[in-house]
Amino acid sequence: MARVSLTPPRTLLFRAVEWYAKRTYGKVLEPVLAMGHNGRVLRATLRFELAVARWNKLDPHLKALAELASAASIGCSWCMDFGYWESTRRGVDARKLRDLPVWRDSDAYTALERDVLEYAEAMTANPPTVGDDLAERLRKALGEPAFVELTAMVALENMRSRLNSALGLTSQGFKDHCELQRR
């Protein structure tokens, strides 16, 4: 159950975002509904998310795996639900998405994907447990621009997942049954 009302004031900004969300996703995203109570938070988040959408140094499939691994580590069912739906729309292998909770035991992933998943989990741990060897492998494999983007994406997903979890937002039905469970 959401910890804030999902019926924010119908400001001009909110109505514009509502129109865009319905056109893009078929419904208004519950994080948007929650943030609609604070126009400055909503506006800043939207500006940042639009900027993030233009980042292009990291392979989008690696980015999706990292985001979902972080969301799964935190246990954000809203992020896992939406992330699964968004990733399948963008062509990420469905087996890789399904096997995410057991990635260490799955043969679906390349060595680089395994390093990305390990890195996302290590960054998400509290406190972070990123080791120098793993960071160096990723930096060499991806190059510094993509490595920085990977790090920023995992940090951003931590913010998204923690915000949504703290606000009590759960799966919104983007995927009928979210197969990605917290380990």
Side-chain angles (χ1 to χ4, degrees):
M1 181 86 171
R3 294 185 175 110
V4 296
S5 159
L6 296 180
T7 55
R10 298 200 42 82
T11 64
L12 180 60
L13 171 64
F14 179 78
R15 289 193 316 264
V17 173
E18 179 182 50
W19 172 83
Y20 175 81
K22 285 180 180 177
R23 195 180 103 216
T24 305
Y25 306 108
K27 54 184 149 186
V28 182
L29 308 179
E30 288 181 358
V32 169
L33 294 171
M35 285 186 275
H37 290 286
N38 186 318
R40 288 183 177 181
V41 170
L42 179 59
R43 191 176 299 110
T45 301
L46 292 173
R47 275 196 308 260
F48 186 61
E49 290 287 356
L50 288 171
V52 168
R54 293 189 301 271
W55 295 354
N56 62 3
K57 301 301 181 193
L58 180 63
D59 176 273
H61 291 195
L62 293 176
K63 191 180 299 188
L65 292 175
E67 289 174 298
L68 284 165
S70 179
S73 292
I74 291 169
C76 179
S77 65
W78 194 94
C79 297
M80 292 185 294
D81 175 48
F82 183 76
Y84 184 97
W85 176 78
E86 186 78 347
S87 296
T88 54
R89 280 185 4 147
R90 294 185 180 185
V92 177
D93 182 343
R95 179 170 178 223
K96 290 180 182 188
L97 297 173
R98 280 191 308 273
D99 283 2
L100 193 69
V102 293
W103 68 266
R104 285 177 177 81
D105 300 320
S106 173
D107 62 358
Y109 303 98
T110 66
L112 177 58
E113 290 167 337
R114 288 176 180 286
D115 281 348
V116 166
L117 293 166
E118 182 180 346
Y119 188 72
E121 286 184 356
M123 271 190 69
T124 303
N126 192 11
T129 59
V130 175
D132 291 339
D133 291 342
L134 175 59
E136 183 61 15
R137 278 196 315 273
L138 283 166
R139 187 188 64 77
K140 282 183 177 176
L142 299 172
E144 289 184 344
F147 178 64
V148 169
E149 187 171 317
L150 170 64
T151 304
M153 286 309 305
V154 173
L156 173 58
E157 187 54 41
N158 266 262
M159 184 188 83
R160 290 171 179 151
S161 292
R162 291 177 191 282
L163 178 81
N164 292 340
S165 292
L167 290 175
L169 304 179
T170 58
S171 300
Q172 195 175 341
F174 283 94
K175 183 177 181 300
D176 292 335
H177 174 72
C178 190
E179 296 169 15
L180 303 178
Q181 300 294 323
R182 184 176 183 194
R183 281 182 278 142

